[in-house]
């Protein structure tokens, strides 16, 4: 039997190979359809593997350069580390002699020198956010100081042009920093006085362009170890040159002091994993279960990919159906010669195998070539230089075999149909209709899947996290597959009602109903694209409408805000802004509560509201000694969270109007009588205000002994009013000066903000100019403007719509072309009875119109159903005052329901010949 099976498949593949060359146009179309997912998978895999997943040797070169090892900043405890170029670490039990020493007692470099007495140590120091002035701009740059002039650091620091620094007054700059500063080789750049550690600005000569391979987009300045330091310098690590390299025993000694080490010698000749306690320690705790979110993401990705592959099968299916239809007589002759049903099916399936193999080879080759061509752009996007092109043979073979599998799936239904045909009926030219009972069964299953899918999707609103995501995608998949099962019956039903239509559409409907094997996949592909476009458009437009209504602006649209160090700097910055832009007014605000406090602030505090149900014990006045920064962990009542650039403010009616842009008489009166105005942007404070008063708690930390703070907790009752913050900047609270004095917050301003008013909305050019002024004054937070609601939904919607249009047009074009090729005899008959030369064009347009129209007829209601289910899930956690309402996506609806049928019909009419092919000519 095995020999017979093998011989049968060999004969089928030989027949298929011959047929591929005979009908090149149709088979090329199938190859393109099957090769698209292979091309995409190979290209993406090659990009990610080459650009993001470097080999150990490549990571080693970027980590240690040409030195023997790189030592990272130590942990607070001894560690065990893995043996790779990016070591993973786990805490190790203290070992007494190897216990780490605090840098205040023994500096880190000295500890390293004690462990490696003969080594030379090249320290690396970094300062984030150092301000530099250049010939034509400013840069808030990373400032690296190490022996970048040493060629042994090539690989870690790549010189692109010029030369390496040779003295303390020379630097190299990254491409991004050179662009921001307007600098090139020979230019002078200056470390601003605000960023200099010695309080004096320092000038450098640029001698080259340099970059770090793993951070090519960063604005960075590279100087020698002896170059002037900047504020915030901290040791990043140490490059090590050691005679004989750094051995595993020396790595273990450094691990005992908390230092992670990347050693070239250890990477080249690693010890057995059994000698590294990291692997034993890491396995003490069994791996935890896969998180529900990760499982949901994997399931969602699998379902989405599955639907995309199903779309490919649907697009390729009509071509296989037409091929099988054109060769029915050939199959019947083979059956009459003694072939059984299985052998006939294998001949049809062999087409899928052969075309899938061709698609797999071509898709793989084109995918690899495209990935190599796109790598430079990908590197620019990720800011990370790719390594050598990495290709996994097993992965590529697996993806290439995917095309074979898709080919088999696409040919499966035509193969089953051919094998069920009666030989005599085929040879005599008769066609058998689809069994009514079988059609009814498909409709029942399809309707049941749509109902179950809708129930699952709508029920997802009661789920959480993973269940919600699975419900959305699983329900969508069930609805679409159910629609596919119902498609043949819908096509047949519409065809029966087509008697009232003109000749062209009536003939097209009849032809579609007679050739369901060709029509059903095409209509299903179109309706899936239409449903996806309508669902995406409805969901995105409804969601963005709700977000616009709930949007909380950061500033007024005509304001620019900058955090300054005091009133003197505020005056200087304002004058600088007035000299370059039309400033119409300004004001300064001070936040007094726990908004963006520095961890190094002399004291820290939090102001919170006692909401109903708050424990009385947390609000009890107390004084205690607590660990430093414990105020950040103290929970008592509802924290007043600001949603504006200024934070919680002290001031009167004018401050309230300046910040919010709204005149509120009731709020003004409350501030005049020494109360507090709360905003309801994030929390419901209305229940906390009783008899016109609110209970507040202040928690203050004042530095005490080393490692501890003195924490005080006090409760107050103040007159209060809650106002709506909908559509206006919300500072969280505006506290009258009298109330601030009562709370003990006078003189404790942590954040001074200069606000300048412009005559109209701030433009992009004005924001850039303001940012340059901020950089000039060393304002690390830059210039703030309200960007408005970032509306990415339009871009996403246009992308989805473009893909859906492409799929719909492709499906309609394929189905129309195949229908015309399959119905050549009918066209010749029409010509022989005297029909107009334009009849073929009219029939072609009618066929395209009917196929896309049927897809629209099924896809639009299913798209609305899916969109409504998505929005039902999206209402979780949305306030009743601002619900998500369904918005009809007129753009998507018009494009898919009107433009697509008309475009396909017009295209079919223009691209079809007005005269039929000569009798007997083959395609």
């Amino acid at each position: 039997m095995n020999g017979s099976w093998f011989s049968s498949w060999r004969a089928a593949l030989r027949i298929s190979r011959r047929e591929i060359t005979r009908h090149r146009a149709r088979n090329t179309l199938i190859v393109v359809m099957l090769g698209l997912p292979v091309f995409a998978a190979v290209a993406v895999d090659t990009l990610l593997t080459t650009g993001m997943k470097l080999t150990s040797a490549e990571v080693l070169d970027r980590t240690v350069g040409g030195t023997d090892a790189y030592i990272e900043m130590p942990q607070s405890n001894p560690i065990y580390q893995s043996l790779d170029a990016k070591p993973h670490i786990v805490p190790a039990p203290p070992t007494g002699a190897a216990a780490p020493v605090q840098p205040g007692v023994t500096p880190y470099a000295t500890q390293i020198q004690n462990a490696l007495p003969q080594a030379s140590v090249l320290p690396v120091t970094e300062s984030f956010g150092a301000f530099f002035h250049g010939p034509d701009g400013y840069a808030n740059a990373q400032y690296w100081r190490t022996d970048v002039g040493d060629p042994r650091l090539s690989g870690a620091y790549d010189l692109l042009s010029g030369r390496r620094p040779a003295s303390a007054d020379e630097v190299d700059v990254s491409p991004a920093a050179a662009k921001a500063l307007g600098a090139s080789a020979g230019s002078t750049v200056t470390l601003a006085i605000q960023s200099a550690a010695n309080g004096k600005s320092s000038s450098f000569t640029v001698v080259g362009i340099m970059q770090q391979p793993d951070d090519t987009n960063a604005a960075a300045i590279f100087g020698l170890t002896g170059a002037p330091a900047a504020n915030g310098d901290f040791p990043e690590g140490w490059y090590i040159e050691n005679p004989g390299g750094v051995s595993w025993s020396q790595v273990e000694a450094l691990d005992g002091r908390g230092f992670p080490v990347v050693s070239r010698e250890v990477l080249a000749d690693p010890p057995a994993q059994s000698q590294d306690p990291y692997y034993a320690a890491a396995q003490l705790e069994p791996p935890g279960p896969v998180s529900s979110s990760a499982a949901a993401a994997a399931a969602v990705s699998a379902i989405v990919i599955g639907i995309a592959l199903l779309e490919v099968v649907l697009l390729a299916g009509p071509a296989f159906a037409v091929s099988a239809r054109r060769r029915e007589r050939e199959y019947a002759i083979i059956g009459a010669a003694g072939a059984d049903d299985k052998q006939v099916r294998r001949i049809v399936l062999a087409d899928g195998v052969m075309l899938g193999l061709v698609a797999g080879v071509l898709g793989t080759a084109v995918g690899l070539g495209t990935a190599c061509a796109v790598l430079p752009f990908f590197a620019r996007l990720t800011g990370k230089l790719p390594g050598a092109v990495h290709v996994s043979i097993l992965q590529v073979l697996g993806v290439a075999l995917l095309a074979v599998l898709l080919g088999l799936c696409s040919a499966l239904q035509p193969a089953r149909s051919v094998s069920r045909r009666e030989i005599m009926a085929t040879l005599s030219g008769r066609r058998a209709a689809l069994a009514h009972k079988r059609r009814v069964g498909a409709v029942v299953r399809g309707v049941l899947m749509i109902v179950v899918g809708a129930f699952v999707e709508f029920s997802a609103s009661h789920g959480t996290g993973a269940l919600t995501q699975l419900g959305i995608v699983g329900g969508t998949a069930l609805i679409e597959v159910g629609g596919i099962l119902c498609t043949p019956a819908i096509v047949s039903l519409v065809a029966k009602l087509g008697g009232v239509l003109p000749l062209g559409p009536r003939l097209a409907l009849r032809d579609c109903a007679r050739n369901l094997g060709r029509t059903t996949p095409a209509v299903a592909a179109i309706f899936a694209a239409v449903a996806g476009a309508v669902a995406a458009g409805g969901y995105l437009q409804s969601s963005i409408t709700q977000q616009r209504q709930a949007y909380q602006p950061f500033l007024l649209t005509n304001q620019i805000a900058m955090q300054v160090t005091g009133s003197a700097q505020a005056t200087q910055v304002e004058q600088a802004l007035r000299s370059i832009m039309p400033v119409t007014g300004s004001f300064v605000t001070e936040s007094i509560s726990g908004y963006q406090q520095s961890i190094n602030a002399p004291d820290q505090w939090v102001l919170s509201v006692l909401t109903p149900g708050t424990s009385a014990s947390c609000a009890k006045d107390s004084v205690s000694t607590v660990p430093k920064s414990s105020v950040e962990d103290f929970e008592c009542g509802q924290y007043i969270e600001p949603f504006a650039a200024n934070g919680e403010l002290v001031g009167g009616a004018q401050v309230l109007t300046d910040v919010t842009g709204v005149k509120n008489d009731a709020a003004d009166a409350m501030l005049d009588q020494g109360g507090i105005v709360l905003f309801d942007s994030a929390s419901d404070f209305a229940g906390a205000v009783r008899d016109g008063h609110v209970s507040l708690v202040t928690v203050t930390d004042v530095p005490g002994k080393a490692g501890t703070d003195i924490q005080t907790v006090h409760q107050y009752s103040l007159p209060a009013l809650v106002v709506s913050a909908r559509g206006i900047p919300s500072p969280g609270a505006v506290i009258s000066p009298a109330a601030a004095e009562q709370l003990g917050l006078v003189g404790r301003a942590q954040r001074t903000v200069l606000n300048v008013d412009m005559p109209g909305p701030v433009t992009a050019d004005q924001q850039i100019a303001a940012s340059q002024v901020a950089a000039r004054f060393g304002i690390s937070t830059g210039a703030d403007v309200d960007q408005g609601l970032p509306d990415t939904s339009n871009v996403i919607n246009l992308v989805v719509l473009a893909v859906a249009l492409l799929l719909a047009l492709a499906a309609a074009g394929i189905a129309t072309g195949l229908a015309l090729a399959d119905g050549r005899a009918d066209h010749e008959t029409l010509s022989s009875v005297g029909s107009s030369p334009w009849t073929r064009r009219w029939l072609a347009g009618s066929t395209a119109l009917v196929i896309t129209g049927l897809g629209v007829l099924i896809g639009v209601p299913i798209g609305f159903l899916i969109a409504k289910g998505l929005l039902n899930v999206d209402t979780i956690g949305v306030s009743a005052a601002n619900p998500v309402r369904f918005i009809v996506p007129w753009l998507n609806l018009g494009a898919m329901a009107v433009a697509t049928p008309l475009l396909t019909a017009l295209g079919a009419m223009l691209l079809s010949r007005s005269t039929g092919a000569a009798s007997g000519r083959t395609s």
Side-chain angles (χ1 to χ4, degrees):
M1 180 177 293
N2 289 336
S4 175
W5 177 88
F6 177 78
S7 300
S8 176
W9 266 107
R10 184 176 62 179
L13 291 172
R14 189 167 61 248
I15 294 172
S16 176
R17 180 175 57 83
R18 182 194 66 188
E19 286 298 318
I20 287 176
T21 58
R22 291 179 59 186
H23 302 287
R24 293 185 180 88
R26 183 170 62 237
N27 292 324
T28 299
L29 183 65
I30 297 175
V31 167
V32 171
M33 291 292 104
L34 300 180
L36 279 176
V38 177
F39 157 76
V42 170
V44 171
D45 180 71
T46 304
L47 277 176
L48 293 179
T49 302
T50 303
M52 305 299 290
K53 300 177 182 178
L54 304 179
T55 64
S56 294
E58 290 169 338
V59 175
L60 180 65
D61 287 339
R62 298 183 181 193
T63 305
V64 307
T67 62
D68 294 319
Y70 182 76
I71 300 178
E72 300 176 4
M73 280 288 291
Q75 306 293 310
S76 57
N77 296 300
I79 61 169
Y80 296 144
Q81 73 168 66
S82 60
L83 298 171
D84 47 30
K86 285 189 173 181
H88 301 279
I89 61 174
V90 294
T95 57
V101 182
Q102 293 296 327
V105 179
T106 305
Y108 293 141
T110 303
Q111 297 182 52
I112 295 172
Q113 203 73 62
N114 291 339
L116 302 171
Q118 298 180 342
S120 59
V121 180
L122 308 178
V124 182
T125 303
E126 180 184 10
S127 176
F128 281 105
F131 281 94
F132 282 82
H133 298 180
D136 190 26
Y138 309 91
N140 186 8
Q142 301 173 10
Y143 180 33
W144 295 87
R145 293 189 301 128
T146 186
D147 289 334
V148 289
D150 193 328
R152 291 175 299 180
L153 297 190
S154 295
Y157 302 90
D158 290 340
L159 185 66
L160 302 181
S161 64
R163 62 176 177 83
R164 297 175 182 273
S167 61
D169 60 354
E170 293 180 342
V171 294
D172 283 349
V173 297
S174 70
K179 181 178 180 180
L181 295 168
S184 59
S187 300
T188 299
V189 296
T190 302
L191 174 65
I193 187 172
Q194 296 92 342
S195 295
N198 59 3
K200 299 178 181 179
S201 61
S202 301
S203 295
F204 303 89
T205 300
V206 177
V207 295
I209 306 296
M210 179 179 286
Q211 69 180 8
Q212 293 171 298
D214 285 341
D215 201 3
T216 58
N217 292 338
I221 309 293
F222 305 97
L224 298 181
T225 302
N231 285 327
D233 274 358
F234 65 92
E236 176 72 20
W238 299 265
Y239 292 101
I240 303 298
E241 281 286 327
N242 194 52
V246 178
S247 66
W248 174 241
S249 61
Q250 291 170 322
V251 169
E252 286 186 306
L254 288 163
D255 285 349
R257 291 176 167 85
F259 291 95
V261 183
V262 178
S263 168
R264 183 179 298 277
E265 179 182 339
V266 172
L267 265 292
D269 185 19
Q273 286 190 3
S274 58
Q275 298 181 30
D276 185 0
Y278 166 82
Y279 296 97
Q283 294 172 5
L284 289 177
E285 298 182 4
V290 178
S291 66
S292 58
S293 59
V300 168
S301 300
I303 294 175
V304 170
I305 292 173
I307 292 176
L309 296 180
L310 176 62
E311 191 79 2
V312 171
V313 172
L314 292 174
L315 288 173
F320 280 106
V322 168
S323 178
R325 167 73 182 86
R326 298 289 296 276
R327 297 170 61 190
E328 278 183 342
R329 188 174 182 82
E330 176 186 340
Y331 299 142
I333 293 174
I334 293 174
D340 58 19
D341 292 347
K342 290 183 179 179
Q343 290 171 324
V344 173
R345 277 201 301 270
R346 285 168 187 160
I347 294 174
V348 182
L349 292 175
D351 289 348
V353 173
M354 292 298 295
L355 292 173
L357 284 172
V358 174
V361 172
L362 292 179
T364 299
V366 176
L368 289 173
T370 302
C372 293
V374 171
L375 266 176
F377 303 97
F378 185 74
R380 193 178 305 166
L381 179 66
T382 60
K384 183 176 181 179
L385 289 182
V389 177
H390 307 311
V391 179
S392 171
I393 302 300
L394 291 178
Q395 289 180 1
V396 168
L397 286 176
V399 174
L401 289 177
L402 174 65
V404 179
L405 178 62
L406 291 175
L408 279 172
C409 292
S410 302
L412 186 61
Q413 183 59 38
R416 294 178 61 189
S417 299
V418 166
S419 65
R420 291 173 179 174
R421 291 278 289 169
E422 295 182 6
I423 295 176
M424 292 306 298
T426 301
L427 292 175
S428 62
R430 300 194 307 270
R431 294 189 179 185
L434 181 66
H436 178 71
K437 185 180 295 185
R438 197 185 313 153
R439 187 182 299 164
V440 171
V443 172
V444 170
R445 290 193 298 273
V447 171
L448 182 62
M449 292 183 73
I450 292 175
V451 172
V452 172
F455 175 78
V456 169
E457 191 175 31
F458 278 77
S459 299
S461 59
H462 303 293
T464 57
L467 292 177
T468 297
Q469 297 176 18
L470 290 176
I472 293 172
V473 183
T476 300
L478 287 174
I479 291 172
E480 293 211 7
V481 174
I484 293 172
L485 293 177
C486 294
T487 298
I490 295 175
V491 173
S492 299
L493 177 62
V494 174
K496 291 180 180 180
L497 302 176
V500 297
L501 297 176
L503 176 63
R506 187 165 68 248
L507 290 177
L509 269 174
R510 185 201 65 175
D511 182 69
C512 289
R514 289 176 59 193
N515 297 279
L516 289 175
R518 163 181 26 96
T519 305
T520 298
V523 173
I526 293 172
F527 102 67
V530 171
V534 171
Y539 172 74
L540 290 171
Q541 291 193 26
S542 301
S543 297
I544 196 63
T545 299
Q546 190 272 339
Q547 291 172 23
R548 286 195 186 104
Q549 294 173 350
Y551 177 64
Q552 186 76 56
F554 182 66
L555 281 169
L556 297 179
T557 57
N558 67 322
Q559 287 182 348
I560 300 174
M562 292 188 196
Q563 183 176 343
V564 294
T565 56
S567 58
Q569 189 182 57
T571 301
Q572 295 172 352
V573 172
E574 181 188 352
Q575 291 174 351
L577 291 173
R578 285 183 180 276
S579 66
I580 60 173
M581 60 182 64
V583 175
T584 59
S586 67
F587 61 96
V588 176
T589 60
E590 292 184 343
S591 61
I592 51 81
S593 189
Y595 180 56
Q596 291 190 352
Q597 296 180 79
S598 168
I599 195 67
N600 299 317
D603 55 359
Q604 297 182 322
W605 58 89
V606 166
L607 180 65
S608 59
V609 176
L610 288 184
T611 52
T614 302
S615 171
S617 60
C618 83
K620 184 178 181 181
D621 287 358
S622 63
V623 178
S624 58
T625 301
V626 297
K628 279 188 176 296
S629 305
S630 63
V631 69
E632 295 180 347
D633 303 321
F634 187 89
E635 295 183 3
C636 183
Q638 179 66 53
Y639 172 59
I640 302 176
E641 186 174 3
F643 286 86
N646 307 86
E648 308 95 329
L649 303 173
V650 172
Q654 187 59 48
V655 169
L656 180 65
T657 303
D658 288 339
V659 172
T660 64
V662 175
K663 181 68 173 176
N664 188 315
D665 293 337
D668 292 348
M670 178 58 66
L671 293 174
D672 290 341
Q673 71 181 53
I676 179 173
V677 174
L678 300 172
F679 293 80
D680 64 354
S681 54
S683 305
D684 183 13
F685 290 139
V689 178
R690 299 179 180 179
D691 298 328
H693 284 69
V694 67
S695 294
L696 302 173
V697 171
T698 62
V699 182
T700 306
D701 277 8
V702 180
K705 296 182 295 183
T708 64
D709 284 350
I710 300 172
Q711 186 179 82
T712 62
V713 179
H714 297 290
Q715 180 179 350
Y716 303 90
S717 178
L718 292 175
L721 175 70
V722 178
V723 299
S724 172
R726 184 170 180 174
I728 62 174
S730 169
V734 176
I735 308 169
S736 65
E741 185 173 358
Q742 184 177 346
L743 294 171
L745 299 178
V746 173
R748 288 184 170 178
Q750 282 288 318
R751 194 164 187 262
T752 303
V753 176
L754 168 68
N755 299 261
V756 296
D757 296 327
M758 305 293 291
V762 179
T763 65
D765 290 340
Q766 289 171 341
Q767 182 184 1
I768 293 172
S771 299
Q772 291 288 325
V773 171
R776 188 193 312 169
F777 285 90
I779 299 174
S780 59
T781 54
D784 292 325
V785 299
D786 186 71
Q787 303 284 357
L789 182 65
D791 187 4
T792 57
S793 64
N794 286 335
V795 176
I796 297 173
N797 187 41
L798 289 176
V799 170
V800 171
L801 188 57
V803 172
L805 275 171
L806 180 62
L807 290 174
L809 293 173
I814 292 169
T816 302
L818 294 175
L820 294 177
D822 195 28
R824 178 176 297 153
D826 294 337
H827 300 308
E828 292 173 352
T829 301
L830 288 172
S831 298
S832 66
V833 297
S835 64
S836 166
W838 277 85
T839 300
R840 180 179 174 86
R841 292 186 185 274
W842 173 238
L843 188 56
S846 299
T847 301
L849 188 64
V850 165
I851 292 173
T852 52
L854 289 170
V856 168
L857 180 67
I858 304 171
V860 168
I862 287 182
F864 282 145
L865 180 63
I866 294 172
K868 190 66 177 70
L870 294 174
L871 289 174
N872 191 46
V873 174
D874 208 33
T875 56
I876 301 174
V878 175
S879 66
N882 189 31
V884 180
R885 295 183 176 86
F886 180 73
I887 304 298
V888 177
W890 293 111
L891 175 64
N892 299 52
L893 200 59
M896 302 307 298
V898 179
T900 301
L902 293 179
L903 283 175
T904 54
L906 181 62
M909 292 180 67
L910 293 176
L911 297 176
S912 297
R913 293 193 299 268
S914 60
T915 57
S919 179
R921 188 181 299 170
T922 59
S923 64

